[in-house]
Amino acid sequence: MVLQRLKVFPKNAYLVLNAVIIYVCLPALTLLYTTEIHFERSQILPILMPYILFGISFFFFKIIAPIAQFDRSTTGALTLTAGISSISFVGFPIFELLFGKEGLQMGVLMSQAGSFVVCGTLGIFTASYYSASEVSARKIMKDIFQFPPFVAFCSAIFLNILNFHFPILAIDILQKIGSPFTILALISIGLQISFKREDLQVKPLLYGLFYKLMIAPLLIFILYFLILGEHTFLGKISVVGAALGSMNTATIIAITYGLNPKLASQMVSISIPLSFLNVGVWALVISYW
């Protein structure tokens, strides 16, 4: 809102920023990190958490939409922003604070092999599905395979299978290209946030926050702690990861595909501050198990 009042950016500057993020920063980061993904079977639970929550999010809002009378744009925005946690931007410092160096290392793996992959694959599928006036498998597949981060992801997986590693110079270049991502995403979202009474979408916002901050961590707690009996570090960090606010990248994708941009921006800007309190509550809960 401050950026909007300063009026130092053109009205539609966020479109240019989003283009830089989607076509430049994200492909570079995808190539950089996905080629280096390696994990053991024992680490599968934290990595699976983002996939589980996004899958349930898709069906949850698909069922809720006709009951709450949400249009396709709103349903898509909620699925994306409530279905994926901000593992890196918000999660890394929290994981390190709660679990030390081991927590940060697991957070990186949870982000690279989990939330980042979910966003660049299932997230694009969802965005294409809800942005189309008529659902077409051909259009959805075309959108997915023309989405630069997904192309980079496929290339990186191929290189990973070949056990290819970028030379130090290439790593340095990719890091420099991808490094502006966080600040550009924050500026882009900041340019679109509006808490004016006429812009605030209370009903869908409450549904989105309810799923993101309450249902998501509760589901992982029930599944990992009560059903699987995983009262370990892996179970605990999975619950904390599920309790985090919305992912910036998912919000950018929702906005890029025209999925209720105002709601998407409100979800990330409100869920992230609230998630600090949410994480505190869940940290206390899991400390007794």
Side-chain angles (χ1 to χ4, degrees):
M1 292 180 72
V2 175
L3 290 175
Q4 294 170 13
R5 290 178 179 177
L6 290 176
K7 296 182 179 179
V8 294
F9 292 94
K11 184 178 180 180
N12 293 324
Y14 70 90
L15 295 175
V16 177
L17 296 178
N18 289 353
V20 174
I21 291 169
I22 296 295
Y23 287 91
V24 180
C25 297
L26 282 179
L29 293 174
T30 302
L31 283 172
L32 179 64
Y33 293 124
T34 307
T35 51
E36 301 299 326
I37 290 177
H38 297 287
F39 60 89
E40 301 173 4
R41 185 175 298 178
S42 61
Q43 300 169 326
I44 195 67
L45 288 180
I47 294 171
L48 278 180
M49 181 272 292
Y51 296 86
I52 294 170
L53 291 184
F54 189 83
I56 295 175
S57 171
F58 185 90
F59 291 106
F60 176 80
F61 289 108
K62 188 75 171 174
I63 294 170
I64 288 294
I67 299 172
Q69 296 182 326
F70 294 154
D71 58 23
R72 290 179 61 82
S73 178
T74 297
T75 306
L78 288 174
T79 302
L80 282 165
T81 56
I84 310 178
S85 294
S86 182
I87 299 296
S88 56
F89 179 64
V90 179
F92 285 179
I94 291 177
F95 295 151
E96 188 170 23
L97 177 66
L98 294 177
F99 306 107
K101 184 179 179 180
E102 185 182 14
L104 178 59
Q105 292 173 337
M106 181 54 63
V108 171
L109 192 59
M110 194 189 304
S111 174
Q112 293 176 10
S115 61
F116 203 72
V117 175
V118 169
C119 191
T121 54
L122 299 177
I124 298 306
F125 167 84
T126 301
S128 180
Y129 173 79
Y130 279 111
S131 64
S133 55
E134 294 183 9
V135 179
S136 165
R138 182 177 180 181
K139 181 185 182 302
I140 291 174
M141 295 305 295
K142 182 180 178 181
D143 283 351
I144 292 174
F145 284 98
Q146 287 185 343
F147 188 66
F150 183 78
V151 175
F153 170 74
C154 292
S155 302
I157 289 295
F158 179 70
L159 294 174
N160 190 305
I161 293 172
L162 295 178
N163 199 30
F164 172 84
H165 299 279
F166 285 109
I168 295 176
L169 178 60
I171 291 175
D172 187 52
I173 292 172
L174 289 172
Q175 286 176 335
K176 283 182 168 57
I177 293 173
S179 60
F181 163 73
T182 300
I183 186 64
L184 291 180
L186 289 174
I187 293 173
S188 175
I189 293 169
L191 288 172
Q192 298 166 83
I193 293 174
S194 176
F195 293 120
K196 294 178 182 178
R197 183 174 297 180
E198 61 271 22
D199 292 332
L200 198 60
Q201 302 180 41
V202 178
K203 186 178 178 181
L205 189 59
L206 289 177
Y207 273 100
L209 293 174
F210 178 65
Y211 180 87
K212 184 72 213 69
L213 300 178
M214 298 184 69
I215 294 180
L218 181 61
L219 284 172
I220 296 301
F221 177 78
I222 292 172
L223 178 60
Y224 284 18
F225 273 70
L226 304 186
I227 296 177
L228 298 179
E230 193 68 39
H231 303 166
T232 63
F233 155 70
L234 295 178
K236 292 178 179 179
I237 197 171
S238 297
V239 172
V240 172
L244 297 171
S246 303
M247 185 185 193
N248 287 341
T249 310
T251 303
I252 295 297
I253 290 175
I255 292 169
T256 301
Y257 277 81
L259 299 176
N260 201 332
K262 289 183 179 179
L263 174 62
S265 299
Q266 289 166 9
M267 270 294 295
V268 72
S269 60
I270 294 176
S271 68
I272 287 179
L274 288 179
S275 70
F276 290 109
L277 175 62
N278 198 39
V279 165
V281 171
W282 279 104
L284 284 175
V285 171
I286 61 178
S287 68
Y288 289 101
W289 290 76

